[in-house]
RNA sequence: GGGCGCAUAGCUCAGUGGUAGAGCGUUGCAUUCACAUUGCAAAGGUCGUAGGUUCGAUACCUACUGCGCCCACCA
């Protein structure tokens, strides 16, 4: 037989063609799979942000999910992996804002809402196209026909429906709360998006009547008329709660009221502090607790308001030295500690220093009790009184959602227990506009109804006030990006419509993502799904670790240590990249990315190539109907390899079934290299020369090769064997590509021999045939 | 301050109640024989310390030491 196999595996020659062949086969779409009646298995892809390109974390995510999906598809399940992308509201907006500013020196306000959104959408589209290409390069077997976008029409309907249902149930409300305000980007920022930066600031000890108070921010102190003390502090025993004193302050005399509250740390500073409830979280809480007055000192642009007297209109940054100067003049400064280490809140989305403000915002009430409708959750019946927090905790506690690795369950509970109402409004333009309208009719219109003061919450666009037919204005704010991604497991399946997909694939089986978004996203999906559908969004949460650089540092643009997954894929082949990413890495543990390891896995890819090369040049055909169970041993080497092959199949399948991906990879790796190649192939050489053993040895070689290719398929899918009358091709598709056309004919019962060009193996692209299932364990 | 985790080969990491594993690195051998884009082999570990449970502990429990992460946000 003519040997046309080159000695080195060249992934570039084949990967693109193989992906195209998969797409043509249609098997990524579960409706087109031969096993129409298989049990469903579904994963919804965590949608990458349309902020540019994929990074290593995405490559890892795609690899793990593709392994799970291909494994289940091979086992005969009706397998859906649904892809999509995320508009990532604030991240995308600030990215585009900074590009526009860099190139044209214009802000979004210079362009106006409409023009700016056009620019963002164009950018998002470009990012999307890049991401899709990159996903294909990674070999992701997602069903492109069901692709979704968090901001497309269907998802918009889902968002509005969810908002209205929660509003009507009293779980969404508008309220005044202190929020993280970013004066630079002119928006609120969620607690999770705040980044704390260590800084040394002077720490001022100021005389406040008989007290000395310590502060790092004298510029906020104008309105301070409450001095807070610990009730047990012996130094301040003679002052009682509620006592009023006149004190000399920045702009003259103020009447100070003594408040006793145990939140005060007696050890810190002087044990006495004055509060600024409008601009400080802790102060806000204290003021609420004692029903004190709130007064705004700083405006939305970071400038002082008239309460600051002569400093009115001065930006707080400039105001500090001026105010300190005045305090010194008045002899109110006792001392200044220059070496005080302080943490400053900043907006991690490329914004400025956070200045807390009290603002009207939309919130989701997580502790408000309501009656559960339509519950499919075990342990919670329809009509039970619950809270969103309780639902979120319950489904994990009762193991209806299992988190891998398990210890993240504890972290999840801790987070839930400390959870406060979720602020869902954002003062940015890119995203889902809040589906609320306000009546703009003024007093001149006689028909104005009392109800006109109520916000109009609607799924459809509102053009006039339903009460007075006056004009309306939509709330200018947009929703937190996690509001729409919270709906992701079911909005992608067609909700609120009762689609077949929703019935078939929800709850989904696995949600696989990085542990860094357990709170941002995973928890919010659990909230949304349990409330809106009365069921869990997924049964298993698989959390992968974060990819770090060789020095174990987080990859970030500012550090310049980003490694592009596609570069590595290009250099070593996608299979090597995929195997390297998952080999020896446990879930939930960070992975220092070493190029050496990927290179090592390329050796494995090449080893595999040469194993196939040896086997295929020594045999004439492979009977793909046979499995390892049909093999018989004539020598000790035969006996050993059959036993080990058997064990490798079991171990790999068992481990994959339990989502022990790295262990499954280890089993198959060590079998392929250290049993099959090192031992059996060596032993087979004399056996092949012996006429009595030759035929049986060929059969063992062929079946073992076919089995390992199948076992490896979920991990390294870019391999196929074609046996052609004129030679044997591994990982090579002739230009005419009859295999692809055979696959697309979707005749699983058709015998291999009937295939065009007498291709013996037709199944290495998408493994769907009976024998693939037979080599793997049936589901428990 | 609250919570979670880690400590295993020179490096980076898997793993297990009963002979300790991988990648890279190191050393030696091998080039018409499937594999130089390499292969084969070797060296290298009292599995952080001290107690406990157990017939048996690197693994389970406790304490300690040293690291790391998350949350809270101290005026």
């Amino acid at each position: 037989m003519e040997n046309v196999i080159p000695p080195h595996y060249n992934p570039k020659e084949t990967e693109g063609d193989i992906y195209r062949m998969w797409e043509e086969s249609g098997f990524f779409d579960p409706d087109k799979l031969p096993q129409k009646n298989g049990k469903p298995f579904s994963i919804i892809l965590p949608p990458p942000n349309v902020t540019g390109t994929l990074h290593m974390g995405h490559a890892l995510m795609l690899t793990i999910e593709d392994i799970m999906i291909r494994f289940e598809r091979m086992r005969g399940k009706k397998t859906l992996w649904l892809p999509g992308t995320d508009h990532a509201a604030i991240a995308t907006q600030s990215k585009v804002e900074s590009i526009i500013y860099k190139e044209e020196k214009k802000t979004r306000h210079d362009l106006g809402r409409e023009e700016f959104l056009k620019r963002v959408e164009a950018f998002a589209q470009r990012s999307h196209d890049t991401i899709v290409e990159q996903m294909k390069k990674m070999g992701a077997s997602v069903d492109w026909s069901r692709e979704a976008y968090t901001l497309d029409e269907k998802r918009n309907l889902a968002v509005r429906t969810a908002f209205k249902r929660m509003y009507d149930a009293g779980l969404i409300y508008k309220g005044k709360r202190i929020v993280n305000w970013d004066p630079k980007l002119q928006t609120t920022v969620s607690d999770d998006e705040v980044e704390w930066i260590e800084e040394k600031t002077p720490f001022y000890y100021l005389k406040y009547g008989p007290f000395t108070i310590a502060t790092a921010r004298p510029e906020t102190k104008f309105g301070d008329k409450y001095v807070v003390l610990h009730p047990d502090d012996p130094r301040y025993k003679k002052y009682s709660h509620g006592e009023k004193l006149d004190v000399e302050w920045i702009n003259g005399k103020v009447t100070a009221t003594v408040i006793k509250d145990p939140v005060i740390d007696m050890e810190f500073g002087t044990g006495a502090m004055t509060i600024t409830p409008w601009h400080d979280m802790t102060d806000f809480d204290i003021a609420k607790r004692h029903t004190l007055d709130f007064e705004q000192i700083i405006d939305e642009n970071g400038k002082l308001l008239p309460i600051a007297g002569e400093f009115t209109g001065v930006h707080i940054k400039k105001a500090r030295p001026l105010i300190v100067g005045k305090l010194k003049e008045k002899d109110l400064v006792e001392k200044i500690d220059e070496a005080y280490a302080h943490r400053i809140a900043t907006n991690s989305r490329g914004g400025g220093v956070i200045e807390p403000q009290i603002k009207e915002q939309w919130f989701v009430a997580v502790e408000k009790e309501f009656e559960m409708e339509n519950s499919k959750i075990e342990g919670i019946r329809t009509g039970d009184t619950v809270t969103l927090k309780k639902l979120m905790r319950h489904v994990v506690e009762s193991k209806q959602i299992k988190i891998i690795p398990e210890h993240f369950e504890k972290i999840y509970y801790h987070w839930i227990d400390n959870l406060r109402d979720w602020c869902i409004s954002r003062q940015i333009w890119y995203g889902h506009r809040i589906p609320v309208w306000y009546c703009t009719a003024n007093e001149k219109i006689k028909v104005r109804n009392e109800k006109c003061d109520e916000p109009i919450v609607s799924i459809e666009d509102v053009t006039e006030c339903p009460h007075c037919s006056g004009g309306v204005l939509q709330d200018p704010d947009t929703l937190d990006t996690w509001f729409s991604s919270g709906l992701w497991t079911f909005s992608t399946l067609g909700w609120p419509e009762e689609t077949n997909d929703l019935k078939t694939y929800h709850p989904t089986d696995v949600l696989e993502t990085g542990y860094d978004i357990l709170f941002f996203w995973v928890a919010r999906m659990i909230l949304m799904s349990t409330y809106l559908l009365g069921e869990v969004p997924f049964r298993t949460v698989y959390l992968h670790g974060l990819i770090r650089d060789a020095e174990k540092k987080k990859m970030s643009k500012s550090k310049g240590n980003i490694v592009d997954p596609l570069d590595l894929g290009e250099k070593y082949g996608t299979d090597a990249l995929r195997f390297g990413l998952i080999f020896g890495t446990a879930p939930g543990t960070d992975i220092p990315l070493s190029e050496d390891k990927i290179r090592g896995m390329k050796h494995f890819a090449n080893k595999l190539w040469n194993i196939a090369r040896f086997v295929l040049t020594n045999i004439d055909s492979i009977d793909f109907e046979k499995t390892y169970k049909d093999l018989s041993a004539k020598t000790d080497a035969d006996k050993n390899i059959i036993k080990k092959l058997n064990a490798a199949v079991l171990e790999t399948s068992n481990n994959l079934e339990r989502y022990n991906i790295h262990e499954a990879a280890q089993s198959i790796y060590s079998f392929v290299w250290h049993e099959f190649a090192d031992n059996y192939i060596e032993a087979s050489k004399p056996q092949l020369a012996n006429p009595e053993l030759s035929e049986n040895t060929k059969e063992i070689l062929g079946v073992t090769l076919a089995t390992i290719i199948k076992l490896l398929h979920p991990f390294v899918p870019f391999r196929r064997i074609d046996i052609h009358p004129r030679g044997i091709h591994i990982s090579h598709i002739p230009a005419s590509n009859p295999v692809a056309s055979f696959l697309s004919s979707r005749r699983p019962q058709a015998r291999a021999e009937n295939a065009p060009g007498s291709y013996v193996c037709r199944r290495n692209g998408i493994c769907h045939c009976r024998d693939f299932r037979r080599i793997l364990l049936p589901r428990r």
Side-chain angles (χ1 to χ4, degrees), chain A residues 259-300:
Chain A
I259 300 295
K260 298 251 176 156
D261 194 299
V263 290
I264 294 292
D265 179 358
M266 288 185 270
E267 308 292 311
F268 189 81
T270 58
M273 74 167 183
T274 59
I275 57 169
T276 315
W278 197 286
H279 301 290
D280 186 281
M281 304 283 176
T282 319
D283 296 1
F284 180 86
D285 288 341
I286 295 171
K288 265 193 97 181
R289 207 157 37 236
H290 300 282
T291 54
L292 309 179
D293 298 339
F294 296 82
E295 220 163 344
Q296 187 173 4
I297 317 290
I298 304 163
D299 73 5
E300 276 72 10

Side-chain angles (χ1 to χ4, degrees), chain A residues 573-593:
Chain A
T574 304
D575 281 349
L577 173 60
R578 288 170 58 119
F579 216 69
L581 281 172
I582 56 106
F583 199 82
T585 60
T589 307
D590 289 353
I591 303 163
L593 180 76

Side-chain angles (χ1 to χ4, degrees), chain A residues 57-232:
Chain A
H58 292 121
L60 176 66
M61 165 183 89
L62 290 167
T63 303
I64 295 172
E65 291 175 30
D66 200 39
I67 290 168
M68 295 174 174
I69 283 288
R70 285 179 189 268
F71 173 64
E72 297 296 354
R73 195 185 283 124
M74 283 172 80
R75 294 211 297 172
K77 290 198 188 160
K78 196 175 159 90
T79 306
L80 171 66
W81 187 15
L82 195 154
T85 42
D86 192 331
H87 70 286
I90 195 164
T92 311
Q93 164 156 338
S94 42
K95 176 118 196 184
V96 175
E97 273 185 296
S98 75
I99 293 172
I100 292 174
Y101 192 78
K102 223 180 258 168
E103 288 173 359
E104 305 169 37
K105 294 273 170 263
K106 281 181 182 164
T107 68
R108 72 179 205 255
H109 299 282
D110 296 334
L111 295 173
R113 191 164 188 149
E114 207 175 314
E115 172 62 21
F116 178 71
L117 284 180
K118 263 192 208 159
R119 300 279 198 99
V120 180
E121 275 153 22
F123 175 85
Q125 184 61 46
R126 282 198 301 278
S127 297
H128 163 269
D129 297 348
T130 311
I131 287 167
V132 167
E133 274 319 298
Q134 291 182 303
M135 283 175 61
K136 290 183 178 179
K137 287 233 166 71
M138 283 303 297
S141 63
V142 294
D143 178 5
W144 293 108
S145 73
R146 284 174 167 86
E147 193 188 343
Y149 182 47
T150 51
L151 202 54
D152 63 19
E153 217 172 287
K154 282 188 175 165
R155 265 44 69 177
N156 192 43
L157 175 67
V159 163
R160 287 182 170 198
T161 307
F163 189 96
K164 184 160 170 52
R165 271 192 55 185
M166 295 177 92
Y167 179 84
D168 291 345
L171 291 174
I172 285 182
Y173 66 93
K174 197 173 191 182
K176 286 199 167 172
R177 282 287 185 287
I178 189 156
V179 293
N180 302 302
W181 178 258
D182 176 359
K184 187 178 156 201
L185 291 186
Q186 292 286 301
T187 181
T188 48
V189 175
S190 74
D191 289 348
D192 312 300
E193 287 164 334
V194 171
E195 194 176 305
W196 294 87
I197 294 172
E198 197 85 27
E199 211 181 71
K200 269 199 179 140
T201 3
F203 197 51
Y204 304 90
Y205 287 77
L206 306 176
K207 291 177 198 162
Y208 187 78
F211 309 100
T212 300
I213 57 145
T215 181
R217 305 202 57 196
E219 65 276 13
T220 65
K221 292 286 165 196
F222 290 100
D224 289 9
K225 52 185 185 181
Y226 301 103
V227 59
V228 189
L229 309 165
H230 196 284
D232 301 333

